[in-house]
Amino acid sequence: MDKVLLIIKREYLTRVRKKSFVVMTLLGPLLFVAMWAVPIWLAQSGPESKTVHVIDQSGMFAQAFTENKSSDVAFVYEKLSVEDAKEELEAGDYDGLLLIPRLAKGEDVNLMYFSEVNPGISLKQQIRKVVSQKLQEEKLKESGLSKEWLAKLNPSVGIRTVNVTPDGDEAESHSEAATVIGYIGAFMIYFFIFLYGTQVMRGVIEEKSNRIVEVIISSVRPFQLMMGKIIGVAGVVLTQFLIWIVLSFGLTTLIAILTGVSVGPSAPAMADPAMVAATADGVPQMMDALMTMNFGLIAFSFIFYFLGGYLLYAALFAAVGSTVDQDGDYQQFMFPLSMPLLFAIISLTVVIQDPHGTFAFWMSMIPFTSPIVMMMRVPFGVPIWQLALSMILLVGGFIFTTWLAARIYRIGILMNGSKVNYRVLLKWARMKY
């Protein structure tokens, strides 16, 4: 045990003293904050304004575009011929030219948009919306109906979800908030397992290529060396993760104070009456739902599945590192090793649709996928027995993968120049001392 502690101490101190650790620890929060702050700042700044000239040969859309103007696009009706308007467009007098041809009843509407570069999706949607609304109004007039009558046929429907416990207690819930929290937690576990598992594998390869491991093995058993390395890196992971949380929170608060950038609906968005109405109804409901969430259980589950998933996969990454002689030779073993993680992150799109369904249940029980899938399910409220069973299976999976990886590691770490394939790995796993 003392030898394992010495290896853990050596791994921990060696890694935290590296310049790369210090740089990434300080740079990581800046990158995380930038990922959130820059898109929000750009959204609040709004897109660049554009000018689009409109030639309406149908005569049906007079003032339709100016009545539905937006803050980022100015529509100007043009009375020139198409050729003359194109010449002005080529001269750079405006950004785009919209041509509405003569329309015949019963035929599909096909517009033409001329510009130097491809227009954005939002501009095309805006043009399509204005034309569609105007045509709809014309058809309503022909039928003797009004817009108010049509609006009554499409009333807005809101759903408030309430969780009822066996004791009869009720608590507000919000599926959208649970989805965001679960997805962020699941994606962070996926990212960190890959990041730190790869560090364990590269550390094993480096020691093996430098022949340092042959000196170390003379004093400790391969299993002790592998476990010491995995647990030592786990300590580095927790240290870096805690520093990132503190620095990210501090930077986010500082940027919000200095720039006024806040995480919330932007000013232009709030100018939209529909957005204002949706916010007035949705935000209080979401805040009530957030207040009822068990954040203590969510935080505990995140730490448990983060460490459990890391330990399970780190043992396999260490075993892969022991089978190759130099960095870059491990690619043939990385694909089957990363497949369960990739499958888990892809399956989240199905889990979100039914977080309590059969597929989500079994995916959260399999140790290779449970760290990601169960983290997605926890904010939705998972029965305690399912959470406990998933954790027990994850611990069992960690013990099995560590046992299997140790049998490969004890032989692979001392083999040099050997051509290793899956048959050789199976042979090493079955080999007795």
Side-chain angles (χ1 to χ4, degrees):
M1 189 64 185
D2 292 340
K3 293 180 180 178
V4 176
L5 292 176
L6 285 174
I7 296 170
I8 293 173
K9 182 180 178 182
R10 171 184 171 274
E11 287 293 330
Y12 182 83
L13 294 178
T14 301
R15 292 177 182 277
V16 298
R17 287 172 178 169
K18 285 184 176 179
K19 289 184 180 178
S20 58
F21 174 83
V22 177
V23 171
M24 278 306 301
T25 302
L26 297 178
L27 194 61
L30 291 175
L31 295 175
F32 283 132
V33 171
M35 288 172 59
W36 286 95
V38 171
I40 293 172
W41 177 73
L42 291 175
Q44 291 185 341
S45 300
E48 296 180 1
S49 59
K50 295 181 176 59
T51 302
V52 175
H53 283 209
V54 180
I55 297 179
D56 183 12
Q57 295 178 341
S58 69
M60 293 178 57
F61 300 92
Q63 307 303 319
F65 285 95
T66 52
E67 290 174 355
N68 292 276
K69 66 180 180 181
S70 64
S71 59
D72 56 323
V73 182
F75 291 98
V76 178
Y77 283 88
E78 188 64 78
K79 295 183 179 179
L80 298 175
S81 64
V82 177
E83 287 71 20
D84 292 339
K86 283 183 179 179
E87 290 180 1
E88 289 187 353
L89 175 65
E90 293 170 358
D93 294 344
Y94 43 88
D95 300 291
L97 173 64
L98 176 63
L99 173 62
I100 305 175
R102 292 181 176 81
L103 303 178
K105 289 185 178 181
E107 292 185 358
D108 294 334
V109 179
N110 292 306
L111 310 178
M112 294 287 289
Y113 184 84
F114 303 93
S115 63
E116 186 177 354
V117 295
N118 288 339
I121 295 176
S122 61
L123 176 59
K124 293 181 69 176
Q125 289 178 338
Q126 186 175 355
I127 294 173
R128 190 177 289 114
K129 178 183 176 183
V130 172
V131 173
S132 177
Q133 285 181 346
K134 186 63 180 177
L135 292 175
Q136 192 178 60
E137 289 177 8
E138 294 298 324
K139 289 183 178 179
L140 286 173
K141 287 180 182 178
E142 292 176 2
S143 304
L145 303 175
S146 64
K147 291 176 64 177
E148 291 74 16
W149 180 84
L150 181 64
K152 291 179 182 179
L153 293 180
N154 299 296
S156 61
V157 178
I159 300 178
R160 297 187 68 185
T161 55
V162 179
N163 293 341
V164 182
T165 66
D167 299 331
D169 298 331
E170 297 183 357
E172 199 89 25
S173 63
H174 200 285
S175 299
E176 288 77 7
T179 300
V180 172
I181 294 173
Y183 193 80
I184 291 175
F187 187 79
M188 289 180 69
I189 290 176
Y190 167 81
F191 176 74
F192 286 123
I193 286 176
F194 258 121
L195 177 65
Y196 295 109
T198 306
Q199 283 193 16
V200 172
M201 182 178 64
R202 290 182 181 277
V204 173
I205 296 173
E206 183 180 354
E207 290 180 350
K208 185 179 178 181
S209 60
N210 294 335
R211 301 296 179 89
I212 297 174
V213 71
E214 296 177 5
V215 179
I216 301 175
I217 288 297
S218 63
S219 302
V220 299
R221 298 179 61 186
F223 178 75
Q224 293 175 320
L225 177 60
M226 188 186 77
M227 288 307 301
K229 185 178 290 293
I230 292 173
I231 297 174
V233 175
V236 177
V237 172
L238 289 177
T239 302
Q240 194 171 48
F241 194 68
L242 290 175
I243 294 175
W244 278 353
I245 291 175
V246 174
L247 290 180
S248 298
F249 179 77
L251 282 173
T252 305
T253 306
L254 181 63
I255 290 174
I257 294 173
L258 294 178
T259 65
V261 174
S262 60
V263 180
S266 62
M270 290 298 291
D272 186 351
M275 183 68 185
V276 173
T279 304
D281 293 338
V283 170
Q285 183 186 352
M286 186 174 70
M287 294 304 296
D288 291 343
L290 288 175
M291 294 297 291
T292 60
M293 278 191 177
N294 190 345
F295 282 101
L297 179 63
I298 293 173
F300 170 75
S301 300
F302 176 80
I303 294 173
F304 182 88
Y305 282 103
F306 169 51
L307 288 177
Y310 161 76
L311 293 173
L312 185 146
Y313 278 96
L316 297 176
F317 275 108
V320 169
S322 69
T323 61
V324 298
D325 295 330
Q326 56 186 359
D327 200 3
D329 293 345
Y330 54 80
Q331 296 297 334
Q332 60 175 326
F333 302 115
M334 281 299 292
F335 181 70
L337 184 57
S338 57
M339 274 300 293
L341 287 172
L342 292 173
F343 183 66
I345 203 73
I346 293 172
S347 68
L348 292 184
T349 55
V350 180
V351 174
I352 291 172
Q353 304 301 322
D354 187 7
H356 305 292
T358 304
F359 178 77
F361 171 79
W362 286 111
M363 287 292 288
S364 59
M365 292 298 134
I366 300 172
F368 291 97
T369 56
S370 64
I372 294 173
V373 177
M374 183 54 89
M375 194 61 235
M376 183 74 245
R377 294 184 60 203
V378 167
F380 286 91
V382 179
I384 294 299
W385 71 267
Q386 290 189 16
L387 193 62
L389 179 60
S390 174
M391 290 180 173
I392 292 171
L393 292 174
L394 180 59
V395 172
F398 161 64
I399 294 173
F400 171 74
T401 57
T402 303
W403 170 81
L404 179 65
R407 296 184 71 83
I408 296 173
Y409 184 88
R410 60 180 176 156
I411 299 174
I413 200 68
L414 297 174
M415 301 293 287
N416 287 291
S418 302
K419 185 177 181 181
V420 181
N421 52 35
Y422 291 106
R423 181 178 296 179
V424 174
L425 291 181
L426 184 61
K427 181 181 177 182
W428 288 356
R430 291 177 174 175
M431 192 176 293
K432 296 182 179 178
Y433 286 99

